[in-house]
Amino acid sequence: DGVTEVLAHRRDSLQDKFIEVPCSEDYDSHKRFEGCTPRKCGRGVTDAVITREEAERIRRIAERGLSLGGSDGGASILDLHSGALSLGKHFVNLYRYFGDKIQDIFTEEDFALYRDVRQRIQQRIAQAFGISSASMYLTKPTFFSRINNTEAKTTHDEYWHPHVDKVTYGSFDYTSLLYLSDYTEDFGGGRFVFMDAGSNKTIEPRAGRVSFFTSGSENLHRVEKVHWGTRYAITISFTCNPDHGIGDPVLT
Protein backbone atom coordinates (compact mmCIF):
# COMPACT_ATOMS: atom_id res chain seq x y z
CA ASP A 1 0.00 0.00 0.00
CA GLY A 2 2.98 2.31 -0.37
CA VAL A 3 3.51 2.65 3.39
CA THR A 4 7.17 3.15 4.26
CA GLU A 5 6.96 3.42 8.06
CA VAL A 6 4.65 2.20 10.82
CA LEU A 7 4.49 4.82 13.58
CA ALA A 8 2.39 2.60 15.85
CA HIS A 9 1.82 -1.13 15.45
CA ARG A 10 -1.44 -2.62 16.66
CA ARG A 11 0.45 -4.87 19.11
CA ASP A 12 2.38 -1.92 20.64
CA SER A 13 1.21 -0.32 23.87
CA LEU A 14 2.51 3.23 23.64
CA GLN A 15 2.69 5.59 26.58
CA ASP A 16 3.33 8.63 24.41
CA LYS A 17 4.84 9.11 21.00
CA PHE A 18 5.12 12.53 19.41
CA ILE A 19 6.69 13.61 16.13
CA GLU A 20 7.09 17.29 15.39
CA VAL A 21 6.71 18.44 11.77
CA PRO A 22 7.05 21.95 10.28
CA CYS A 23 3.76 23.86 10.25
CA SER A 24 2.11 24.63 6.92
CA GLU A 25 0.87 28.10 6.00
CA ASP A 26 -2.79 27.06 6.29
CA TYR A 27 -3.21 28.79 9.65
CA ASP A 28 -2.13 32.16 8.22
CA SER A 29 -5.36 32.55 6.25
CA HIS A 30 -7.44 32.29 9.44
CA LYS A 31 -7.62 34.51 12.49
CA ARG A 32 -4.85 33.54 14.91
CA PHE A 33 -5.53 32.93 18.59
CA GLU A 34 -2.41 33.40 20.66
CA GLY A 35 -1.69 30.49 22.96
CA CYS A 36 -3.74 28.08 20.84
CA THR A 37 -3.26 28.47 17.06
CA PRO A 38 -0.48 26.01 16.20
CA ARG A 39 3.07 27.34 16.21
CA LYS A 40 4.38 23.85 16.93
CA CYS A 41 2.90 21.25 14.59
CA GLY A 42 3.07 17.49 14.60
CA ARG A 43 1.34 14.21 15.29
CA GLY A 44 1.09 12.01 18.34
CA VAL A 45 -0.24 8.66 19.43
CA THR A 46 -0.95 7.25 22.88
CA ASP A 47 -2.50 4.11 24.34
CA ALA A 48 -2.39 5.56 27.87
CA VAL A 49 -5.31 8.03 27.88
CA ILE A 50 -8.34 5.79 27.26
CA THR A 51 -8.54 2.17 28.47
CA ARG A 52 -9.63 -0.69 26.23
CA GLU A 53 -12.62 -1.21 28.50
CA GLU A 54 -13.68 2.43 28.04
CA ALA A 55 -13.18 2.10 24.28
CA GLU A 56 -15.45 -0.97 24.27
CA ARG A 57 -18.12 0.96 26.19
CA ILE A 58 -17.83 3.86 23.74
CA ARG A 59 -18.07 1.44 20.81
CA ARG A 60 -21.32 0.04 22.22
CA ILE A 61 -22.74 3.59 22.20
CA ALA A 62 -21.78 3.81 18.51
CA GLU A 63 -23.24 0.38 17.75
CA ARG A 64 -26.56 1.20 19.41
CA GLY A 65 -26.86 4.55 17.62
CA LEU A 66 -25.83 3.21 14.22
CA SER A 67 -28.23 0.26 14.57
CA LEU A 68 -31.00 2.86 14.03
CA GLY A 69 -29.69 3.63 10.55
CA GLY A 70 -26.57 3.06 8.55
CA SER A 71 -25.40 3.94 5.07
CA ASP A 72 -26.18 1.80 2.02
CA GLY A 73 -22.48 2.19 1.27
CA GLY A 74 -19.49 1.25 3.39
CA ALA A 75 -19.19 4.33 5.62
CA SER A 76 -21.78 5.22 8.26
CA ILE A 77 -21.69 8.32 10.46
CA LEU A 78 -23.28 9.13 13.81
CA ASP A 79 -22.89 12.64 15.24
CA LEU A 80 -24.30 12.90 18.76
CA HIS A 81 -23.90 16.70 18.72
CA SER A 82 -25.94 17.57 15.62
CA GLY A 83 -27.93 14.33 15.58
CA ALA A 84 -26.71 13.49 12.04
CA LEU A 85 -27.11 9.78 11.29
CA SER A 86 -26.48 7.95 8.01
CA LEU A 87 -29.69 6.38 6.71
CA GLY A 88 -29.56 4.73 3.30
CA LYS A 89 -28.12 7.28 0.88
CA HIS A 90 -28.98 10.27 3.07
CA PHE A 91 -28.72 11.63 6.61
CA VAL A 92 -31.47 12.16 9.16
CA ASN A 93 -31.54 14.02 12.46
CA LEU A 94 -31.48 11.26 15.03
CA TYR A 95 -33.20 13.34 17.70
CA ARG A 96 -36.04 14.55 15.47
CA TYR A 97 -36.46 11.28 13.59
CA PHE A 98 -36.65 9.01 16.66
CA GLY A 99 -37.87 11.52 19.27
CA ASP A 100 -38.40 10.12 22.76
CA LYS A 101 -37.23 6.65 21.66
CA ILE A 102 -33.68 8.02 22.01
CA GLN A 103 -34.04 7.62 25.79
CA ASP A 104 -34.25 3.85 25.19
CA ILE A 105 -31.05 3.86 23.12
CA PHE A 106 -28.70 6.06 25.14
CA THR A 107 -28.28 6.75 28.84
CA GLU A 108 -26.96 9.71 30.84
CA GLU A 109 -23.98 7.48 31.71
CA ASP A 110 -23.20 7.10 28.00
CA PHE A 111 -23.05 10.86 27.53
CA ALA A 112 -21.04 11.35 30.74
CA LEU A 113 -18.44 8.83 29.49
CA TYR A 114 -18.34 10.58 26.12
CA ARG A 115 -17.68 13.95 27.85
CA ASP A 116 -15.01 12.48 30.11
CA VAL A 117 -13.18 10.83 27.21
CA ARG A 118 -13.36 14.04 25.16
CA GLN A 119 -11.90 16.06 28.06
CA ARG A 120 -8.99 13.67 28.57
CA ILE A 121 -8.14 13.73 24.86
CA GLN A 122 -8.32 17.54 24.86
CA GLN A 123 -5.94 17.72 27.84
CA ARG A 124 -3.50 15.31 26.19
CA ILE A 125 -3.44 17.38 22.98
CA ALA A 126 -2.92 20.61 24.93
CA GLN A 127 -0.03 19.02 26.83
CA ALA A 128 1.65 17.73 23.65
CA PHE A 129 1.46 21.10 21.88
CA GLY A 130 2.22 23.24 24.92
CA ILE A 131 -1.07 25.14 24.94
CA SER A 132 -3.83 25.58 27.51
CA SER A 133 -6.73 23.13 27.14
CA ALA A 134 -9.03 26.01 28.19
CA SER A 135 -8.12 27.83 24.95
CA MET A 136 -9.37 24.89 22.84
CA TYR A 137 -13.00 24.37 21.88
CA LEU A 138 -14.74 21.29 20.61
CA THR A 139 -15.85 21.92 17.03
CA LYS A 140 -17.93 20.24 14.36
CA PRO A 141 -18.05 17.76 12.89
CA THR A 142 -17.20 15.39 15.73
CA PHE A 143 -18.59 11.95 14.92
CA PHE A 144 -18.50 8.17 15.13
CA SER A 145 -17.60 6.28 11.97
CA ARG A 146 -18.35 2.67 11.11
CA ILE A 147 -16.61 1.43 7.98
CA ASN A 148 -16.92 -1.93 6.24
CA ASN A 149 -16.13 -3.20 2.75
CA THR A 150 -19.56 -2.52 1.22
CA GLU A 151 -19.22 -0.75 -2.12
CA ALA A 152 -19.65 3.05 -1.96
CA LYS A 153 -23.08 4.27 -3.03
CA THR A 154 -22.58 8.03 -2.64
CA THR A 155 -19.61 10.40 -2.32
CA HIS A 156 -20.14 10.33 1.49
CA ASP A 157 -19.06 6.67 1.41
CA GLU A 158 -15.74 7.51 -0.28
CA TYR A 159 -13.69 7.99 2.87
CA TRP A 160 -10.32 6.96 1.38
CA HIS A 161 -9.40 10.12 -0.54
CA PRO A 162 -6.36 12.11 0.70
CA HIS A 163 -7.44 15.30 2.46
CA VAL A 164 -6.39 18.09 4.82
CA ASP A 165 -8.77 18.75 7.71
CA LYS A 166 -8.07 22.51 7.88
CA VAL A 167 -8.88 22.81 4.18
CA THR A 168 -12.00 20.61 4.40
CA TYR A 169 -13.26 22.16 7.64
CA GLY A 170 -11.84 25.65 8.19
CA SER A 171 -12.55 25.56 11.93
CA PHE A 172 -10.24 22.60 12.66
CA ASP A 173 -6.91 23.31 14.38
CA TYR A 174 -6.35 19.98 16.15
CA THR A 175 -7.83 16.65 15.09
CA SER A 176 -7.99 13.45 17.11
CA LEU A 177 -9.16 9.91 16.47
CA LEU A 178 -10.07 7.44 19.15
CA TYR A 179 -10.01 3.92 17.72
CA LEU A 180 -12.71 1.56 18.94
CA SER A 181 -11.64 -1.67 17.22
CA ASP A 182 -8.45 -3.54 16.35
CA TYR A 183 -6.59 -3.70 13.05
CA THR A 184 -6.18 -7.35 11.86
CA GLU A 185 -8.49 -8.60 14.65
CA ASP A 186 -11.75 -6.81 13.80
CA PHE A 187 -10.97 -5.63 10.28
CA GLY A 188 -8.37 -5.68 7.51
CA GLY A 189 -7.14 -2.57 5.68
CA GLY A 190 -8.41 0.65 7.24
CA ARG A 191 -5.07 1.94 8.50
CA PHE A 192 -4.62 5.68 8.93
CA VAL A 193 -1.90 7.02 6.62
CA PHE A 194 0.01 10.31 6.85
CA MET A 195 1.13 11.22 3.33
CA ASP A 196 4.47 12.99 3.59
CA ALA A 197 6.69 14.05 0.68
CA GLY A 198 8.44 10.89 -0.44
CA SER A 199 7.01 8.64 2.28
CA ASN A 200 3.78 7.38 3.82
CA LYS A 201 3.56 6.71 7.56
CA THR A 202 0.79 4.69 9.14
CA ILE A 203 -0.90 4.23 12.50
CA GLU A 204 -2.53 0.85 12.99
CA PRO A 205 -5.83 1.15 14.88
CA ARG A 206 -6.16 -0.48 18.28
CA ALA A 207 -9.14 -0.12 20.66
CA GLY A 208 -8.39 2.71 23.09
CA ARG A 209 -5.60 4.20 20.96
CA VAL A 210 -5.72 7.96 20.46
CA SER A 211 -4.02 9.50 17.45
CA PHE A 212 -3.92 13.31 17.24
CA PHE A 213 -2.37 15.92 14.99
CA THR A 214 -2.45 19.54 13.89
CA SER A 215 -5.08 19.90 11.18
CA GLY A 216 -3.14 21.73 8.45
CA SER A 217 -1.47 20.55 5.23
CA GLU A 218 1.54 19.35 7.25
CA ASN A 219 -0.71 16.36 8.03
CA LEU A 220 -2.19 15.39 4.68
CA HIS A 221 -3.74 11.96 5.28
CA ARG A 222 -6.09 9.24 4.14
CA VAL A 223 -7.62 6.02 5.42
CA GLU A 224 -6.99 2.79 3.53
CA LYS A 225 -10.04 0.97 2.20
CA VAL A 226 -11.39 -1.59 4.65
CA HIS A 227 -11.10 -5.04 3.03
CA TRP A 228 -13.01 -7.11 5.58
CA GLY A 229 -14.69 -6.73 8.97
CA THR A 230 -15.86 -3.49 10.59
CA ARG A 231 -13.76 -0.54 11.74
CA TYR A 232 -15.13 1.74 14.45
CA ALA A 233 -13.60 5.08 15.43
CA ILE A 234 -14.61 8.48 16.69
CA THR A 235 -13.21 11.73 15.29
CA ILE A 236 -13.02 14.49 17.90
CA SER A 237 -11.95 17.88 16.61
CA PHE A 238 -10.93 21.14 18.25
CA THR A 239 -10.76 24.77 17.21
CA CYS A 240 -9.02 27.79 18.69
CA ASN A 241 -11.87 30.06 17.59
CA PRO A 242 -14.59 30.28 20.26
CA ASP A 243 -17.09 31.32 17.55
CA HIS A 244 -16.76 27.82 16.06
CA GLY A 245 -17.04 25.99 19.38
CA ILE A 246 -19.84 23.53 20.16
CA GLY A 247 -21.07 22.09 23.43
CA ASP A 248 -20.95 18.48 24.54
CA PRO A 249 -23.97 16.41 23.45
CA VAL A 250 -26.83 16.30 25.93
CA LEU A 251 -29.48 13.63 26.29
CA THR A 252 -32.63 15.77 26.20
Side-chain angles (χ1 to χ4, degrees), residues 46 49-50 58 114-128 133 136 138 174-179 208-212 234-238:
T46 176
V49 174
I50 311 299
I58 289 271
Y114 184 98
R115 283 193 300 274
D116 182 37
V117 162
R118 186 273 301 165
Q119 284 164 353
R120 276 185 271 157
I121 292 171
Q122 184 168 342
Q123 285 159 1
R124 180 67 197 90
I125 294 172
Q127 186 186 352
S133 67
M136 299 165 65
L138 196 61
Y174 300 93
T175 308
S176 73
L177 289 141
L178 167 59
Y179 294 109
R209 170 166 287 168
V210 177
S211 143
F212 58 89
I234 178 169
T235 300
I236 302 177
S237 24
F238 299 96

Side-chain angles (χ1 to χ4, degrees), residues 177-238:
L177 289 141
L178 167 59
Y179 294 109
L180 305 175
S181 48
D182 291 319
Y183 173 67
T184 69
E185 294 278 320
D186 300 310
F187 61 91
R191 293 181 300 176
F192 184 98
V193 181
F194 288 111
M195 304 176 70
D196 296 336
S199 69
N200 287 338
K201 300 177 178 68
T202 189
I203 290 173
E204 297 179 351
R206 162 192 165 109
R209 170 166 287 168
V210 177
S211 143
F212 58 89
F213 48 94
T214 44
S215 306
S217 300
E218 68 277 0
N219 284 314
L220 173 69
H221 61 274
R222 67 183 179 91
V223 172
E224 294 174 327
K225 287 187 181 182
V226 169
H227 302 310
W228 58 267
T230 307
R231 177 194 193 268
Y232 283 94
I234 178 169
T235 300
I236 302 177
S237 24
F238 299 96

Side-chain angles (χ1 to χ4, degrees), residues 47-161:
D47 296 313
V49 174
I50 311 299
T51 67
R52 286 187 73 85
E53 189 263 340
E54 286 168 330
E56 282 160 14
R57 285 169 58 201
I58 289 271
R59 188 179 75 209
R60 287 196 288 273
I61 298 171
E63 287 171 340
R64 289 200 303 274
L66 286 161
S67 72
L68 298 171
S71 166
D72 287 345
S76 298
I77 295 299
L78 166 65
D79 183 337
L80 291 179
H81 300 265
S82 69
L85 171 70
S86 301
L87 189 66
K89 293 184 176 63
H90 307 282
F91 292 92
V92 295
N93 185 309
L94 179 78
Y95 302 118
R96 285 207 296 269
Y97 200 79
F98 295 99
D100 293 341
K101 289 183 189 162
I102 289 301
Q103 309 281 346
D104 302 327
I105 304 293
F106 303 121
T107 65
E108 291 291 359
E109 290 76 18
D110 291 338
F111 280 59
L113 174 63
Y114 184 98
R115 283 193 300 274
D116 182 37
V117 162
R118 186 273 301 165
Q119 284 164 353
R120 276 185 271 157
I121 292 171
Q122 184 168 342
Q123 285 159 1
R124 180 67 197 90
I125 294 172
Q127 186 186 352
F129 289 101
I131 61 174
S132 161
S133 67
S135 67
M136 299 165 65
Y137 303 88
L138 196 61
T139 193
K140 62 183 181 184
T142 282
F143 57 91
F144 289 105
S145 57
R146 181 186 71 194
I147 305 175
N148 59 33
N149 66 350
T150 307
E151 185 186 342
K153 299 292 192 293
T154 72
T155 52
H156 294 297
D157 297 317
E158 296 181 15
Y159 55 83
W160 52 82
H161 299 298

